[in-house]
Amino acid sequence: MLLVLRATSPLARLMPGLGLAAAVAAGASVLHEVMRIATSGTFVLPSMVIALLIGIALSGPAARPGFEPGLTFAVKQLLRWAIALLGLRIALADIAGLGAGVIALVLAAMGFTILTAGWLARRLGTGMGYGMLAGAATAVCGASATLATATVVPAYPGKSSDVAFTVVAANAVSTLVMLAYPALATLMGLSDVKTGILLGATIHDMAQVVGAGYAVSEPVGNAAVVVKLFRVFLLLPVVLAIGWWFVRTGGESGAAKVPLPVFALVFLVLVGVNSVVPSVPVLAPAYLGLKPWLIQASNLGLLLAIAALGLGTSLRAVLTIGWGHAGVFAGATLAILLVVLGGLAVL
């Protein structure tokens, strides 16, 4: 009887799916390092993108019922806590130091981008669910924003494929603009500070923001990272606003539910902790020692969640995605670039 209870316990039911996702995540991390060493860092795919692609390739075997509880837990529950821990990367003093003009510009660019993605989604027939995924990924922070937004977008046929496509598109476009935008800033004669604002306000993923900014200079990199962190700070408000909008409009294929705000509150609390505790002599040493481990736990949670997402995504469904999806994503990317460039011209 004891063995039966153990085998049917909630934790035991989760282990097959979580174990499979962990194996995919570990394999992705190894391949990331192999790629980095083999190319001397000149061509490296992020571990999350590799994990997503491996997961999609293994989606057939992963469709067995025994894997479903663990994969669902990773995508729905583990993901939220990993996102909450992102608050440890942000300090309010850094955001305040941006100045009212830059803050207003970033807010305007993000809002316009999400609205543009929604409008294009309607025009190109991809559905508002995908429009909000693409809009949030472009406006906020790529893969993390995509996964967070997926928690409030109502279920519809092909949703998992749309999420997977958005994650891959965000990384691909981020890599392209990482190379193009510094050259654009030079062509336009932008100062170091404005170049940093351009990169931090328009590039989708944090890794590419860092790569583009510090490749130009340290002042550019510093400015770009702070602006990008402000966008990350707005992740939870954006996600909750999108969820509220779906609730008010009745959703696209069923009622959307804004997730319980526990993880959002934890995110905001951790932003406060990261803003205050480092300046308290008694608490700072312990906190600064613990912080890297918590950030690593966040990274691991996101990696496991995206591996689980890939394992639950049909490769056939991904391959049937049309050009309309690419058009929405490209339009959102162009929208945020144009608004930021226009704003920089008057700052």
Side-chain angles (χ1 to χ4, degrees), residues 87 90 92 266-278:
I90 301 163
L92 293 175
V266 172
F267 175 90
L268 295 175
V269 167
L270 291 179
V271 171
V273 168
N274 194 48
S275 302
V276 174
V277 173

Side-chain angles (χ1 to χ4, degrees), residues 177-205:
V177 300
M178 178 182 71
L179 301 174
Y181 286 0
L184 176 62
T186 300
L187 182 65
M188 297 183 65
L190 298 180
S191 66
D192 283 353
V193 171
K194 287 190 174 182
T195 298
I197 294 170
L198 171 66
L199 301 178
T202 57
I203 298 178
H204 307 66
D205 286 318

Side-chain angles (χ1 to χ4, degrees), residues 22-185:
V24 170
S29 298
V30 170
L31 285 176
H32 171 81
E33 284 301 307
V34 169
M35 187 180 297
R36 183 183 63 80
I37 293 171
T39 65
S40 299
T42 57
F43 179 76
V44 182
L45 284 176
S47 298
M48 284 205 296
V49 173
I50 298 174
L52 177 65
L53 296 176
I54 294 174
I56 293 173
L58 297 177
S59 60
R64 297 175 183 174
F67 292 124
E68 190 274 335
L71 296 179
T72 300
F73 174 82
V75 172
K76 292 189 175 180
Q77 302 300 325
L78 182 62
L79 168 65
R80 293 178 180 178
W81 291 105
I83 292 170
L85 289 173
L86 290 175
L88 292 172
R89 303 171 188 238
I90 301 163
L92 293 175
D94 292 333
I95 294 173
L98 292 173
V102 174
I103 289 174
L105 172 59
V106 173
L107 289 172
M110 292 174 65
F112 182 74
T113 299
I114 293 171
L115 291 174
T116 298
W119 180 78
L120 287 172
R122 288 190 185 278
R123 298 286 294 181
L124 298 178
T126 62
M128 189 55 68
Y130 171 71
M132 291 300 98
L133 292 172
T138 306
V140 188
C141 54
S144 299
T146 304
L147 295 174
T149 304
T151 67
V152 298
V153 170
Y156 62 88
K159 177 182 174 181
S160 62
S161 301
D162 283 356
V163 173
F165 176 84
T166 306
V167 170
V168 173
N171 177 71
V173 173
S174 292
T175 302
L176 289 174
V177 300
M178 178 182 71
L179 301 174
Y181 286 0
L184 176 62

